[in-house]
Amino acid sequence: MEETVTATRLGGFDRLAAPMLLDLLAERGIRAFEAPQAANPATRGFDPMHTDVWVESGRVEDARRIADEQLPAFLEQTVSDDLGPEPEGDGEEGGDGDAIGWQAFGWMETHAAVVFLKVCEEEAISARAEYALDRPPPVWVTPGMRVQVYVDEFFVEEAEQLLERVEQRLDEQGISWEEPLCELSGP
C-alpha cells in the first residue's frame, strides 16, 4: 500500500528548468512532481513554456531554498558550459565541408523559433538561434524576450517563405504567438 503524501504548489517554472529542479529536489530526498499550469484566460489557455512544480507539504521551505539558491547556480553553470553556437563567426563547417555564412534573420518568441528551426531542418536549410533552445536560456535572457535566429545567407528568401508554415504549425499545436511572428528590427 502506497503512502499518501500531501503536496503544495512550489511555483511556476520554465518548462526546461523544471526537470532540473526536480532532479535537485530528488537528490535531497524531497518528493516532487510537475503538472501543467492551470488555464489562464488572459493567454487563452495554458502556457506551453511554463509548468507548476509541486512538493511534499512538509518540505516546502527546503524546496523553496533549493529553487531560489541552488537552481539558479545550477542553471548558470549549465549555461556557461554551453551558451550555444556563435552566430557571428563565419566559418562553421556545413555538412559538406563548406563554410556557412550566417545572416541575421530576425527575432522570434522562443517557442516560435523552435518550430522555425524544425521546419528549416525539414527543408535542409541551415538555421540556428543565438543560444541553444534545448537548454535553459542564458542568465541574461529576460522573460518574454525574443531570440535572434540566423539562416545560411544563401537561403534567406527560402526561409522567409517558411514563416507561413511555422504559423500553421503553431496554430495546429494550439500554441499562441504574437504578431509579427518574426521581427527584423529587434526584440
Side-chain angles (χ1 to χ4, degrees):
M1 186 172 222
E2 285 189 33
E3 175 185 356
T4 302
V5 177
T6 304
T8 301
R9 181 180 176 274
L10 183 63
F13 294 86
D14 180 273
R15 193 167 292 284
L16 297 175
M20 293 177 211
L21 175 59
L22 293 176
D23 288 345
L24 289 171
L25 294 171
E27 288 173 7
R28 280 127 187 108
I30 300 173
R31 289 182 275 191
F33 64 94
E34 71 177 281
Q37 288 186 326
N40 179 348
T43 60
R44 291 177 271 148
F46 77 102
D47 182 350
M49 299 309 290
H50 292 88
T51 186
D52 283 336
V53 172
W54 293 73
V55 298
E56 58 185 292
S57 294
R59 304 286 306 270
V60 174
E61 292 307 315
D62 293 334
R64 193 168 316 286
R65 184 178 36 77
I66 291 168
D68 292 344
E69 298 170 10
Q70 295 177 14
L71 179 63
F74 180 78
L75 293 174
E76 187 171 342
Q77 171 73 37
T78 302
V79 169
S80 67
D81 289 345
D82 180 13
L83 286 178
E86 290 293 329
E88 299 304 323
D90 60 321
E92 178 176 316
E93 295 295 319
D96 59 2
D98 295 329
I100 296 175
W102 295 105
Q103 169 142 351
F105 184 73
W107 297 85
M108 296 181 170
E109 294 172 279
T110 305
H111 50 278
V114 169
V115 173
F116 174 75
L117 296 176
K118 179 67 176 160
V119 170
C120 284
E121 180 182 338
E122 292 168 2
E123 295 297 322
I125 295 174
S126 296
R128 64 188 195 186
E130 66 182 312
Y131 56 84
L133 300 178
D134 60 346
R135 296 191 175 102
V139 294
W140 49 265
V141 174
T142 58
M145 182 176 167
R146 291 183 169 219
V147 60
Q148 188 165 23
V149 292
Y150 297 82
V151 175
D152 183 328
E153 64 187 348
F154 294 112
F155 295 99
V156 173
E157 289 180 21
E158 290 84 350
E160 288 173 0
Q161 295 171 5
L162 297 177
L163 291 176
E164 187 174 316
R165 190 178 333 164
V166 173
E167 292 174 2
Q168 291 171 345
R169 290 255 180 107
L170 290 168
D171 291 340
E172 289 169 3
Q173 295 174 12
I175 300 173
S176 61
W177 51 277
E178 294 181 17
E179 291 275 356
L181 179 66
C182 184
E183 292 181 297
L184 300 178
S185 60

